[in-house]
Amino acid sequence: EAVVSTQSTGLQAIQANPQQFINLLNEGGGAAGGPGGPQMPGAGGQPGAPQPPTVQITPAEKEAIDRIKALGFPEHLVVQAYFACEKNENLAAEFLFSENFQDDNQ
């Protein structure tokens, strides 16, 4: 029951502040607490430049991400939405559909 409450609260927060959530996604998820959040896109492999954080995922999480990608969303948005929605596959898909994110390359 506590998990459902947390997920509902997370969805409500996203729905209440969609632009803030989109900005967070576009900044590379700097909310992880690591240094270099918004500066990461300019890193470009320069020596000493901050590197994007590495996240280990389980085979089950990879399958969930692949299922969401199969709905037509770009991988970078799927991964960010999946983790922002606390690894809730349905919630991540709902968010991506609600914000009308689609992969223009398909």
Side-chain angles (χ1 to χ4, degrees):
E1 293 176 17
V3 173
V4 173
S5 175
T6 300
Q7 292 170 351
S8 297
T9 302
L11 179 58
Q12 290 171 352
I14 291 169
Q15 290 175 335
N17 302 297
Q19 191 58 48
Q20 183 179 5
F21 184 69
I22 292 167
N23 292 343
L24 178 65
L25 292 178
N26 290 334
E27 290 174 359
Q39 299 94 337
M40 285 190 291
Q46 299 170 359
Q51 296 299 312
T54 303
V55 176
Q56 299 294 323
I57 60 171
T58 66
E61 292 168 344
K62 170 83 168 104
E63 291 172 8
I65 290 168
D66 288 342
R67 285 190 294 269
I68 301 169
K69 282 174 40 182
L71 298 173
F73 300 106
E75 183 174 31
H76 69 282
L77 289 179
V78 169
V79 170
Q80 292 176 21
Y82 182 72
F83 284 101
C85 293
E86 299 179 358
K87 301 180 186 178
N88 181 311
E89 181 178 352
N90 292 332
L91 189 60
E94 283 181 36
F95 169 74
L96 292 167
F97 277 121
S98 73
E99 293 302 318
N100 210 17
F101 290 119
Q102 293 291 318
D103 189 354
D104 296 331
N105 297 327
Q106 287 192 3

